[in-house]
Amino acid sequence: MEVRTRFAPSPTGYMHIGNLRTALYAYLHARKSGGKFILRIEDTDQARLVGDAVKVIYESLRVTGLEHDEGPDVGGPVGPYVQSERRPLYKQYAEQLVKEGHAYRCFCEKTEKQEEPGEEADGGILGYDGRCGRLSEAEVQANLAKGMPFVIRQRINKEGSTSFKDFIYGDISVENKLLDDQILLKRDGFPTYNFANVVDDHLMGITHVMRGCEYISSTPKYVLLYKAFGWEYPEHIHLPHILGHDGKKLSKREGSAALSDLLAKGYLPEAILNYIALLGWNPGTEQEFFTKADLIAKFDIARIGKAPAMFDETKLTWLNAQHVKALPPEKAHELFLKFYPESVTKGFDAKKLSGYIQGKVEKLGDLPAMTSFLTAFDANYSTELFVHAKNKTTKEGSKAVLADLQAALAALPAWEYAAIMAAVKGYTEAKGAKLGAVMWPLRIALSGMTVTPTGAIEIAELLGKEEALRRLTHAISRL
């Protein structure tokens, strides 16, 4: 049987890290198995739809490279792939359940709760006693004749229990008396999430359903629906929670860990995918750096664990730095240009700068601060910066070094890295000094900072001869 997985987001907000992990695991399993990855838009919650959320879904999948084989924008044999366009199907199947005694019309005048993906809904009436399920056919027809609005509820036999096997959590059994008669079709004709995904997963031939473990409590109702229809139950893989630094489940309602926020900070899409793949899945080795091709080759749903995963932005930052280092230089420069301040791109050799700092960049959003030594020179830096115990530098000694270097550098006919380095090394050797004792005051003079993403020679070259000598003169004056 061909493996068919699906990603079925609700367009009610941005792409959350938890959503993206679900999409990634479904994508990887489909690709590893030579199957199909399907995108379905679950827009049954009309009250909470966000205008551009569908566009965000498409863009998120595009930028992360999780290309789908079937979906609203690419078509496919089991469309439509948007639930609001499939309403006649849900009505047909809901009416079938009513006819066969597995569902009933409920006329109770109670405001329906909007059932939301990932939450156990109470069907609109907390602890609903199924009173409308006990109406006679004559009473039902009388209510319909009066034009009374109704919902269609699942009829659940409260005797016994319902069992199922989850791929991750194993055998689970729930007493039926704990299950409420959930709403399947609302008054407006829209299905609830819980009903629509069962119908769609079957009709779309989904073989493996991946979703968060918060859905486990709803799963017995899904099982009963599959049984009522006589459909084969797909493999269900409930994924462990992702927790924030406070130990609580990451929640999109709390604005935690949106993909768009991480991209805006300058995390690479491939690094984000690499990191979230490890939030619940263990490769079985010490390897931590993965390309998308690596993940496809090595991903195995059998290595998804039960334990919650902690979202650690520090670890993500480390992984991102590894991915930045691994970029081809031309690609790195192309990405850096989107984050460089205009003063850097217009005033300096940005391509050379990119080559010098690529190995030091943790995330692209750091680039403005990292390059500030070029454009935001603080002429009032403290002269105490020239004092460095390890390099044995003093203010007096630094002044003498800088005065000598200024003369040597001013005489250079060509202002390039090799020539500048040769001049500095020549001076160091002539004085019998250690290189650190010369480089430290030179770095402070050129940047006004103790920590820079490049060495003193690189800074001098990037600044250009005129600006570098001007800063040396200023330092000597300050000292």
Side-chain angles (χ1 to χ4, degrees), residues 376-431:
F377 180 68
D378 180 7
N380 295 316
Y381 59 83
S382 171
T383 56
E384 293 299 325
L385 298 181
F386 287 100
V387 180
H388 193 281
K390 184 178 179 180
N391 289 318
K392 299 180 180 180
T393 59
T394 63
K395 294 182 183 181
E396 295 76 10
S398 295
K399 180 178 180 180
V401 166
L402 294 176
D404 291 341
L405 284 179
Q406 185 186 44
L409 294 176
L412 290 177
W415 194 259
E416 57 181 10
Y417 180 90
I420 300 170
M421 177 61 84
V424 173
K425 280 190 172 181
Y427 167 76
T428 302
E429 292 169 1
K431 291 291 186 178

Side-chain angles (χ1 to χ4, degrees), residues 48 51 56 89 206 285 362 420 439:
R48 295 177 59 240
V56 170
L89 282 171
I206 303 303
T285 66
E362 291 189 324
I420 300 170
M439 289 295 190

